[in-house]
Amino acid sequence: MSDFYARIQQLSPSRLALLALELHEENERLKAAGREPLAIVGIGCRMPGGVEGTDAFWRLLREGRDATGEVPPDRWAIDDWFDADPDAAGTMASRRGGFLQDIDRFDAAFFGISPREALTMDPQQRLLLEVSWEALEDAAIAPSTLFGTSSGVFVGVCNADHFHRVLARGPSAIDAYVASGNADSVAAGRIAYALGLQGPALAVDTACSSSLVAIHLACRSLRAGESDLALAGGVNIMCTPETSVALSRGHMLAPDGRCKTFDARADGFARAEGCGIVVLKRLGDALRDRDRILALVRGTAVNQDGRSGGLTVPNGPAQEAVIRAALADADVRPDEIDYVEAHGTGTSLGDPIEVRALAGALGAGRPADRPLLIGSVKTNIGHLESAAGVAGLIKVALSLQAERLPAHLHFETPNPHITWDAYPVEVTAAGRPWPRGERRRLAGVSSFGFSGTNAHVVIEEAVAIDMAPDAPAHVEPHVVCVPLSARSTDALETLARRTTDSLRDRDVSLLDAAHTMAVGRSAWSERAAVIAGSTPEALGGLDAVARGERTDGVRRGTVADGVSPDVVFLYTGAGAQ
């Protein structure tokens, strides 16, 4: 398809419809071969550094920030557990990691969960519910429209801290909700239950590769026709110190709490929390539904280390093999890959093995002036363990959208155990442009579990083709209605603030935003509508809603119980708005 990318730069808008037809025909060929690309149409995420959503995540990456910090007191009292000596019994040698904020906050009523049940629910389950909902909204898919559909849920989760924390409260704290609130299987099943999804729902635990394996399984399910839409990703929350103590005793944690991947100072990783979910569809279905396509999953593969140098020791040949298998699944040559989001934990043993495997799998046929670029998001946010793979995949999707590779942090002196001169590999120590060009941009994402299970995914840029090429872009209508709805007044005002931020931060037309709010969101009882003829006017109205004010061009109302949620407003008197 390289000619396709060269020609798209030269065609006039009136010819793009023909190119769209070629894209459809090419997809049909891949579909017949069992290799139809999967479209990423929505993303939801929570990451360290106060990140909620992709806009905030990209800002953190673009600015080159390290989001790790000292263990917060709501996890454990670090002074009681810290000792600089990693061999000191019952202690940990690092005070830092990547932590989320407000993991105790959860709108249980929004998901129909009682306060009593929510008390014993693992915060990982709560995060997965929230981020899955946010991913669907990012895809402009009203969650209510998926009820009863063959939509699947595939989540990676490996941490059981909260369960042990509940048990530590004593036998009297064990109630009927402890089992369902802390079972990994329910982490997936609860999402399916809340949304009424009837495709596969499964939780995956392969340790640090869990979320990328979950994405692999989601892609297989979509290609097999078992699912028509998939929510895939992973989650990790650290509630108790014991796992950190064990990893410290194994000399796996970096004493300074930073991942210094590929650097001479690499001495372990920083543990971290996070959650990421991507919404996947078959490319043909996404084109049919006129979805916004963020990136394409071209190929995936999973394998196992088998008998290596030790149970948790990485196996270089197995890593090389899984990359080759993913390339074969994607029908892509090794030299076509521009960048790899490496597993890159920052260990003195793992980093050299991974670079050697990358060079072996992707170095062949590569021009001398175009080395394989590599980096790791772990240098920004730490190692998210069961959510690490999806964090890397989201980084790549955002980089394709922004046409820029962000800086790989903490890289000062190349690791001397890596023979850099022998490999056509370069670390993205500084941010650099990654523009669209005459050939398609392709990247790989690796994730390796200390269980020995390895995963690799090949990602491709999405080609933006206007199916109505003669229409001018960003047409401002004479007047438009931006509808908002939520379950409470506070939630409505928060939604107005987020919609304002989205309109300001993204290159989105007012008409597109209004359409998304009207058809891509579920309807709730608290309503507001902003009537505007321009984006600045709409921003003013949204600001008013966010402040709880009523102004010209803003209408407020409530749909009473028993009234169809399809009702926009119900006027009950002359003073009603």
Side-chain angles (χ1 to χ4, degrees), residues 195-496:
L195 301 178
L197 312 182
Q198 295 186 320
L202 53 93
V204 177
D205 181 2
T206 58
C208 307
S209 58
S210 297
S211 61
L212 212 62
V213 172
I215 289 168
H216 163 80
L217 295 174
C219 292
R220 289 292 189 265
S221 181
L222 286 162
R223 282 179 172 173
E226 184 181 55
S227 301
D228 292 326
L229 176 146
L231 294 165
V235 66
N236 191 53
I237 292 291
M238 302 177 288
C239 295
T240 60
E242 284 80 8
T243 299
S244 293
V245 170
L247 293 172
S248 182
R249 294 298 301 276
H251 293 245
M252 297 182 189
L253 295 187
D256 66 355
R258 295 177 175 87
C259 292
K260 300 172 287 294
T261 309
F262 307 133
D263 192 85
R265 299 167 297 146
D267 55 359
F269 63 87
R271 297 192 71 202
E273 303 176 329
C275 182
I277 293 289
V278 294
V279 183
L280 298 167
K281 283 186 176 183
R282 292 180 288 269
L283 177 57
D285 292 348
L287 292 171
R288 177 201 64 202
D289 298 339
R290 302 175 69 86
D291 290 314
R292 178 193 56 153
I293 301 174
L294 302 172
L296 301 176
V297 177
R298 284 299 306 266
T300 68
V302 168
N303 75 356
Q304 236 285 336
D305 283 346
R307 181 63 72 95
S308 62
L311 175 63
T312 62
V313 175
N315 184 331
Q319 292 179 13
E320 186 173 337
V322 79
I323 296 170
R324 291 185 185 279
L327 291 175
D329 187 53
D331 195 20
V332 165
R333 298 192 315 272
D335 62 293
E336 291 184 278
I337 302 295
D338 295 325
Y339 171 79
V340 169
E341 176 64 21
H343 181 62
T345 51
T347 61
S348 57
L349 175 65
D351 287 358
I353 291 174
E354 181 170 12
V355 172
R356 190 178 308 120
L358 287 170
L362 301 172
R366 186 169 297 276
D369 62 346
R370 194 167 63 81
L372 175 68
L373 303 176
I374 61 174
S376 176
V377 74
K378 293 178 179 64
T379 62
N380 298 95
I381 58 176
H383 184 2
L384 271 59
E385 300 172 357
S386 49
V390 70
L393 184 144
I394 292 171
K395 172 189 169 182
V396 170
L398 297 179
S399 298
L400 286 166
Q401 288 284 304
E403 301 185 51
R404 184 168 185 82
L405 288 169
H408 171 98
L409 307 184
H410 311 312
F411 185 73
E412 298 175 1
T413 304
N415 189 322
H417 300 296
I418 299 173
T419 53
W420 295 100
D421 292 342
Y423 303 141
V425 174
E426 181 181 332
V427 177
T428 55
R432 64 179 67 194
W434 194 19
R436 296 181 185 273
E438 292 189 350
R439 60 182 186 81
R440 56 180 173 171
R441 293 174 298 160
L442 288 155
V445 182
S446 289
S447 195
F448 310 135
F450 85 157
S451 64
T453 298
N454 309 307
H456 191 81
V457 171
V458 176
I459 304 295
E460 181 183 353
E461 69 176 303
V463 179
I465 297 179
D466 191 345
M467 299 301 287
D470 293 324
H474 293 286
V475 176
E476 290 285 6
H478 291 296
V479 66
V480 69
C481 172
V482 182
L484 307 170
S485 78
R487 286 202 172 198
S488 68
T489 299
D490 288 346
L492 186 70
E493 293 171 359
T494 298
L495 176 62

Side-chain angles (χ1 to χ4, degrees), residues 147-199:
F147 189 90
T149 63
S150 296
S151 298
V153 181
F154 304 81
V155 296
V157 57
C158 68
N159 198 324
D161 282 7
H162 186 263
F163 182 55
H164 297 294
R165 194 171 188 173
V166 171
L167 295 183
R169 299 171 187 168
S172 62
I174 300 174
D175 62 18
Y177 298 118
V178 168
S180 60
N182 293 272
D184 288 348
S185 58
V186 178
R190 193 183 291 276
I191 297 170
Y193 174 79
L195 301 178
L197 312 182
Q198 295 186 320

Side-chain angles (χ1 to χ4, degrees), residues 128-148:
L128 284 168
L129 278 172
E130 293 176 339
V131 176
S132 294
W133 189 281
E134 291 164 6
L136 288 170
E137 289 200 334
D138 185 65
I141 297 172
S144 57
T145 64
L146 298 179
F147 189 90

